[in-house]
Amino acid sequence: MSKDAGFFNFSLAKILSDSQSILDQARIRLLYYGFYIIFVAAFGLFLSVYLQHLTLLTTTSGIVLICIAALFKYLTWAPRWRRVSHALLLMATLVNLSNVFIVIQKVDIITIQVILMVILFGYYMLGQRVGLLYSLINIIPVLVFYVLNYNESYFIALKPEQVDQSTIIISMFANFIIIIYIHSHFYSAFIKNIKQLKETGQEQAILNSKLEYAIEKAEKSSQIKSEFLATMSHEIRTPLNAIVGMSNVMIMANPRDDQRENLNVLKSSANNLQSIVNDVLDFNKIEAGKVMFENVKFNLVDLLQNMCAAQRLKAEEKGLKFALKIDPTLNNRVLFGDPTRLNQILFNLVSNAIKFTSTGSIYVKAFCYENQNSKVRVTFTVKDTGIGIDKSNLESIFEPFTQESITTTRQYGGTGMGLAIVKRLLALQGLHMHVSSKVGEGSEFSFNMEFAVSSSNINEIGENHPSLKNTEMLSNLNMLIAEDNPVNVLLMRKLLSRWKIKPTIADNGEHAIEIFKSGSFDIILMDLQMPVMNGFDAAIQIRKLPDMKKANVPIIALTAAALLDIEEQIFNAGMNDYVSKPFKPEELMEKIQNLVFAGAGQRVS
């Protein structure tokens, strides 16, 4: 029912609305104006039969007049055109059949006209099925009457009424006008609807074209963003590698206590910068769906203790109490999972807790709430007594580049990426973060994670890896280093000299191949972005060498790039492993030892 239409409404405008389709509006108009035509025709017939003193026809036409007035009022009050259409069709059917079987007792041209009107009106107003139904209800009884009348077997006691020629003329004239009106009205409506569909189709084509352009632009923008991140990563990581690397070299040189303090500050600042860069790049990987989760053996207790050892120092520097509690049932258990991503999740949560806590304590807990032989389910909890989070902001803090407020960002710093990364890493594993917080009292973050349990002994992990403290085994190792940045070359020389490795430097991929062919090397460190020939092409050429011994020499890629598929490109080029700049000395040493002495992960093209 229209909001504007009331019981005393007679306006068409108030029963039409923009929510109605063109055809529905046409149907309402047909009924509205059609009622005037029908009423005039019915009133003319009423006068004609009344003057002829035809009782049954007068009664019938009078009832029709009353019904038409009532239906018109109902339409202008509540424009339920389907109900009105059904009522009109039923009325026409009853009047037509009563005339054929009772009042006139014959089939004439008026009867045929009424049947045609019922068919047209039924199909146009109510559709194919309803139109067919009303058509059959009118046609079949009339055909039956024809047959009975033809066999002279139809008879009722009631004498048929006879109408004069003027009544027939009025009926025929009115019926033709109504038939023409129905056709004309719906023809106009259909033409208008076709034009609108054509216009809508054209508009849709324009919108599709704009959408395709927008998608293409978005894809290009995404590609440009990835390329920009890759370039910026390389440009930032290259000098950062020198800063972190030189800090490590100088710390390894047993500096004075005051020098060590300065170097630690320098290294800590560089690590913070590296953490920010890594957050942005990791988020880009996650958004692109390029994150792959490992399923390797690891010691959960060691992971938690090592992660918290570094964080404990940061907490104690702020005067905070730091507590780590691990469920005893997790001791001596070897689990399957992705320790790197788990460490990243917990590291971000603990870092956030320390950042936003000025006084009080940080509490980290790993509780085993389901312990079976084949699997364990662990609840990880990080709780603080920090500034807390307002209830209305609990969802927004997980959005990228978002913190609770501008004041929070200014006071505590940070990119707002940590929790966004945490949420998405958990979501990719089908997990959910639970948060409870009170402003001024602190926050608690927790999540559940399931791990498969290995049958291996805890002492077996790392058995096959040589000790990283044993650098003597690297003595006199011949290493070819393909690196064009002089600062990085200087760093590598200083670092490798402490491990007594003999380095040979090549400033591009082509030069590296020439030196490698004429020399004897145990391993190659290959920078990826170099002039003349890059590291990928150089590695591919080395793997194609006819000398199988040379062709299978281990190659470790040195990369400062951030392309999402960089790992795949490295391995496709035949390289064995890679380290990202800035790298940790112990990480590089472990990879060198694994490839040269343990023969782990070798790839042959």
Side-chain angles (χ1 to χ4, degrees):
M1 184 184 297
S2 175
K3 293 180 180 178
D4 299 327
F7 182 77
F8 296 102
N9 172 58
F10 289 94
S11 171
L12 174 64
K14 290 184 178 180
I15 60 175
L16 294 176
S17 68
D18 294 335
S19 62
Q20 297 161 344
S21 68
I22 289 178
L23 286 178
D24 286 350
Q25 290 181 357
R27 286 164 173 144
I28 293 172
R29 286 193 181 93
L30 173 67
L31 288 171
Y32 183 84
Y33 294 114
F35 272 122
Y36 288 106
I37 299 173
I38 297 171
F39 187 84
V40 171
F43 186 74
L45 287 172
F46 174 78
L47 288 177
S48 178
V49 295
Y50 175 77
L51 294 173
Q52 295 176 58
H53 305 291
L54 301 174
T55 307
L56 288 176
L57 285 174
T58 302
T59 304
T60 302
S61 56
I63 293 172
V64 168
L65 277 173
I66 294 171
C67 290
I68 290 171
L71 290 173
F72 178 76
K73 180 64 258 163
Y74 182 75
L75 178 70
T76 55
W77 173 53
R80 297 187 177 95
W81 54 268
R82 290 184 182 276
R83 294 184 184 179
V84 176
S85 299
H86 278 291
L88 279 173
L89 287 167
L90 285 171
M91 183 177 68
T93 300
L94 291 173
V95 170
N96 198 35
L97 294 181
S98 66
N99 284 340
V100 170
F101 284 91
I102 300 171
V103 181
I104 304 175
Q105 297 180 25
K106 68 176 180 178
V107 176
D108 56 11
I109 189 170
I110 307 299
T111 305
I112 303 302
Q113 283 182 321
V114 172
I115 292 175
L116 285 175
M117 282 192 292
V118 168
I119 293 172
L120 290 174
F121 191 81
Y123 274 94
Y124 282 144
M125 293 298 294
L126 299 173
Q128 183 180 13
R129 290 185 180 181
V130 179
L132 178 62
L133 175 64
Y134 281 108
S135 299
L136 295 175
I137 291 174
N138 280 266
I139 292 171
I140 292 175
V142 171
L143 291 176
V144 170
F145 177 83
Y146 248 125
V147 173
L148 294 174
N149 196 41
Y150 178 78
N151 294 325
E152 297 181 354
S153 56
Y154 180 78
F155 175 79
I156 60 173
L158 192 65
K159 183 181 178 181
E161 293 185 342
Q162 299 291 327
V163 295
D164 62 12
Q165 195 65 27
S166 62
T167 305
I168 295 173
I169 292 172
I170 293 172
S171 300
M172 288 178 59
F173 183 72
N175 289 342
F176 276 128
I177 289 176
I178 294 171
I179 291 171
I180 293 170
Y181 172 69
I182 293 173
H183 268 301
S184 174
H185 187 81
F186 271 100
Y187 178 79
S188 299
F190 286 137
I191 293 298
K192 186 177 179 181
N193 194 47
I194 290 170
K195 287 181 179 179
Q196 188 185 53
L197 287 173
K198 185 178 179 181
E199 291 172 359
T200 303
Q202 290 172 344
E203 290 174 1
Q204 188 66 43
I206 293 171
L207 287 175
N208 288 339
S209 177
K210 290 181 178 179
L211 180 61
E212 288 175 4
Y213 175 74
I215 292 172
E216 183 181 350
K217 189 175 180 180
E219 289 175 348
K220 286 182 179 179
S221 176
S222 178
Q223 183 180 355
I224 290 170
K225 183 186 77 172
S226 297
E227 290 174 355
F228 171 77
L229 286 172
T231 303
M232 289 304 298
S233 170
H234 185 270
E235 295 303 316
I236 293 173
R237 285 175 184 266
T238 298
L240 194 59
N241 181 56
I243 296 170
V244 174
M246 284 299 182
S247 301
N248 286 322
V249 169
M250 288 188 284
I251 290 172
M252 291 164 64
N254 297 319
R256 300 192 309 268
D257 289 343
D258 60 324
Q259 291 174 329
R260 182 179 295 278
E261 182 180 356
N262 292 339
L263 289 170
N264 283 333
V265 171
L266 177 64
K267 183 179 178 181
S268 176
S269 298
N271 286 335
N272 287 338
L273 177 58
Q274 182 184 358
S275 177
I276 292 171
V277 173
N278 288 341
D279 277 351
V280 175
L281 298 177
D282 273 347
F283 185 77
N284 190 46
K285 278 186 179 180
I286 293 168
E287 289 291 276
K290 296 286 185 177
V291 174
M292 300 295 292
F293 291 95
E294 293 182 319
N295 191 34
V296 298
K297 295 178 184 177
F298 73 102
N299 183 341
L300 178 59
V301 175
D302 280 354
L303 182 147
L304 290 168
Q305 289 175 341
N306 292 336
M307 185 275 296
C308 288
Q311 298 287 52
R312 188 189 302 275
L313 296 175
K314 290 170 63 178
E316 290 175 351
E317 285 175 3
K318 295 183 68 174
L320 304 174
K321 294 180 181 178
F322 191 99
L324 168 63
K325 185 175 181 180
I326 303 174
D327 195 318
T329 58
L330 296 172
N331 292 334
N332 301 319
R333 304 293 295 271
V334 179
L335 308 180
F336 283 101
D338 191 332
T340 303
R341 292 302 177 184
L342 177 59
N343 185 80
Q344 185 177 15
I345 292 169
L346 293 171
F347 181 87
N348 273 313
L349 291 176
V350 176
S351 294
N352 253 30
I354 295 171
K355 182 192 296 183
F356 296 111
T357 303
S358 301
T359 58
S361 59
I362 307 297
Y363 179 73
V364 182
K365 180 181 178 182
F367 172 71
C368 182
Y369 70 92
E370 184 175 329
N371 183 16
Q372 300 178 8
N373 291 330
S374 60
K375 66 180 179 180
V376 293
R377 291 181 179 175
V378 182
T379 299
F380 297 95
T381 304
V382 177
K383 188 176 182 181
D384 64 65
T385 57
I387 61 175
I389 307 162
D390 189 86
K391 189 175 181 179
S392 61
N393 294 324
L394 285 177
E395 289 298 325
S396 64
I397 60 169
F398 290 102
E399 295 304 313
F401 313 108
T402 302
Q403 291 187 350
E404 189 179 11
S405 67
I406 295 296
T407 305
T408 303
T409 305
R410 288 175 179 171
Q411 184 175 353
Y412 296 96
T415 61
M417 295 292 295
L419 290 180
I421 290 172
V422 167
K423 180 181 179 181
R424 282 159 174 77
L425 285 176
L426 290 174
L428 288 172
Q429 300 174 78
L431 305 176
H432 178 69
M433 174 68 71
H434 304 277
V435 187
S436 60
S437 183
K438 288 186 178 180
V439 176
E441 295 185 19
S443 306
E444 180 176 311
F445 293 81
S446 65
F447 62 93
N448 302 322
M449 191 172 283
E450 182 179 297
F451 303 96
V453 178
S454 171
S455 57
S456 301
N457 187 283
I458 197 73
N459 297 318
E460 294 177 15
I461 299 183
E463 260 186 8
N464 295 325
H465 299 281
S467 171
L468 299 183
K469 295 181 181 178
N470 182 14
T471 61
E472 292 298 322
M473 61 193 305
L474 300 180
S475 299
N476 301 316
L477 194 71
N478 290 314
M479 178 183 290
L480 174 60
I481 302 174
E483 171 67 72
D484 65 313
N485 187 293
V487 176
N488 285 337
V489 170
L490 176 62
L491 169 63
M492 295 302 296
R493 285 186 184 277
K494 288 181 175 291
L495 181 61
L496 297 176
S497 66
R498 294 197 162 273
W499 299 340
K500 298 179 182 179
I501 293 176
K502 297 178 180 178
T504 301
I505 309 299
D507 57 5
N508 62 65
E510 190 175 277
H511 189 201
I513 294 172
E514 292 175 2
I515 295 174
F516 182 71
K517 286 180 178 178
S518 59
S520 177
F521 298 95
D522 301 299
I523 194 168
I524 301 172
L525 293 186
M526 183 77 75
D527 187 36
L528 297 181
Q529 295 188 8
M530 294 181 292
V532 184
M533 180 183 288
N534 62 45
F536 296 109
D537 294 337
I540 291 171
Q541 293 300 317
I542 289 172
R543 294 302 185 216
K544 291 180 179 179
L545 292 175
D547 185 338
M548 293 304 296
K549 185 178 179 181
K550 284 183 176 291
N552 291 329
V553 166
I555 302 175
I556 298 177
L558 297 172
T559 175
L563 290 173
L564 299 178
D565 57 350
I566 190 69
E567 182 175 331
E568 184 180 353
Q569 292 181 42
I570 288 170
F571 291 145
N572 286 341
M575 289 180 263
N576 304 79
D577 211 334
Y578 68 96
V579 289
S580 297
K581 300 176 185 178
F583 57 83
K584 297 177 182 178
E586 59 269 22
E587 179 188 8
L588 178 61
M589 185 192 296
E590 179 185 19
K591 291 182 184 292
I592 292 172
Q593 289 176 338
N594 285 341
L595 290 171
V596 174
F597 299 106
Q602 288 213 4
R603 297 171 183 267
V604 180
S605 295

